[in-house]
Amino acid sequence: QVQLVESGGGSVQAGGSLRLSCRISGYTWIDYCLGWFRQAPGKEREGVAAIDSDGRLSYADSVKGRFTISQDIAERTVYLQMNSLKTEDSAMYYCAADGPSTQVFAPEFLERIDDFGYWGQGTQVTVSS
């Protein structure tokens, strides 16, 4: 059974930083893609960042230069370092993994949100002005 557990969310002032973690269990780390997504109240879920098994990284334009996705395969964990946070970054943040029968490549993750078959419960990020 694949499980994703996010942590690291919280409240921070604009300009601050947070690091989100997502520990993944029961998942096969071969030909994979892991992503971070977010959803604000009244808005659709949107892609934030992704990393795939070839080491490719991809980011939404709104977070480029501020957010960094990384992974620790030995620890089965994917991270999202968020710097220079803005109030518009406030949302529930979700970690997701592709599969079980689809393979996503990082550069296309924004168009293939529906092919991420495994999701965590989310962690709340609130940025105040």
Side-chain angles (χ1 to χ4, degrees), residues 67-79:
F67 291 11
T68 302
I69 187 171
S70 62
Q71 63 183 352
D72 185 331
I73 298 174
E75 293 295 323
R76 295 294 193 259
T77 301
V78 61
Y79 303 96

Side-chain angles (χ1 to χ4, degrees), residues 30-33 51-57 71 73 103-107:
I30 298 174
D31 295 333
Y32 61 86
C33 186
I51 183 169
D52 65 25
S53 51
D54 288 331
R56 288 172 291 201
L57 310 178
Q71 63 183 352
I73 298 174
Q103 183 181 3
V104 180
F105 300 103

Side-chain angles (χ1 to χ4, degrees), residues 84-128:
S84 302
L85 282 161
K86 304 176 181 180
T87 55
E88 52 262 45
D89 294 319
S90 296
M92 185 70 79
Y93 282 71
Y94 299 90
C95 171
D98 69 346
S101 58
T102 56
Q103 183 181 3
V104 180
F105 300 103
E108 59 183 0
F109 88 105
L110 290 174
E111 292 80 34
R112 298 189 62 186
I113 293 178
D114 290 343
D115 288 323
F116 285 80
Y118 304 107
W119 292 82
Q121 293 300 307
T123 185
Q124 178 68 40
V125 172
T126 302
V127 184
S128 59

